[in-house]
């Protein structure tokens, strides 16, 4: 059966993933609308397609966590540069940060195994942009950990 012929997902929220979202106290507005997932920094809004458009609940949360990771770049949060020019190094770097953050959050929720292949495929595409500098992955992982910590409200040194 092809993706187009598969029956719609009977969505069952994942409790740990919902706790992550609920715990992200300064999160952007999250709207279920449209056909693609995205973060709009001007409106500080994450748009997500209906859960029925996803293969699984884990896939839905993995994509939502990716978009929430972008929201941590907002000036009221971690204040990272969000470049919307898809061919730019800054855009590719932000995509690495967002997908790594998503992987960290999926791991926190116990759903990384279910989202691993999607994340690995996505990351491998963006890593090609940085073949000339191996430091990009380490720098992106550091910023991704900061984003995950912000969403999870993890504080060090207190």
């Amino acid at each position: 059966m092809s993706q187009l012929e598969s029956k719609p997902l009977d969505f069952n929220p994942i409790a740990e993933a919902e706790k992550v979202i609920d715990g992200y106290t300064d999160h952007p507005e999250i709207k279920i609308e449209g056909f693609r997932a995205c973060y709009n920094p001007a409106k500080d809004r994450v748009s997500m397609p209906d859960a029925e458009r996803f293969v699984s609940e884990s896939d839905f949360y993995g994509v939502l966590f990716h978009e929430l990771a972008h929201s941590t770049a907002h000036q009221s949060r971690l204040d990272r540069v969000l470049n919307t020019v898809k061919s730019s190094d800054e855009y590719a770097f932000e995509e690495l940060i967002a997908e790594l953050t998503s992987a960290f959050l999926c791991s926190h929720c116990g759903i990384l195994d279910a989202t691993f292949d999607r994340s690995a495929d996505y990351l491998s595409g963006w890593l090609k942009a940085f073949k000339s500098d191996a430091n990009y992955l380490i720098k992106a992982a550091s910023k991704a950990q900061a984003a995950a910590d912000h969403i999870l409200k993890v504080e060090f040194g207190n």
Side-chain angles (χ1 to χ4, degrees), residues 37-113:
C38 65
Y39 171 65
N40 181 327
K43 295 181 179 179
D44 195 27
R45 177 190 313 159
V46 167
S47 297
M48 287 289 292
D50 288 327
E52 291 181 352
R53 295 190 174 278
F54 291 86
V55 175
S56 68
E57 290 86 352
S58 298
D59 190 44
F60 173 83
Y61 287 110
V63 172
L64 177 56
F65 290 161
H66 177 103
E67 299 308 329
L68 289 176
H70 285 310
S71 79
T72 65
H74 192 270
Q75 64 189 19
S76 67
R77 297 180 189 98
L78 300 179
D79 199 19
R80 286 191 314 274
V81 173
L82 281 177
N83 189 330
T84 58
V85 178
K86 290 188 178 188
S87 62
S88 71
D89 285 349
E90 293 88 3
Y91 184 90
F93 187 65
E94 177 62 26
E95 288 303 312
L96 283 175
I97 294 168
E99 195 59 29
L100 287 168
T101 303
S102 175
F104 295 162
L105 294 174
C106 286
S107 179
H108 176 83
C109 295
I111 60 173
L112 183 60
D113 288 348

Side-chain angles (χ1 to χ4, degrees), residues 130-141:
F130 299 115
K131 289 248 187 239
S132 62
D133 187 350
N135 291 326
Y136 273 105
L137 182 58
I138 302 302
K139 291 174 187 174

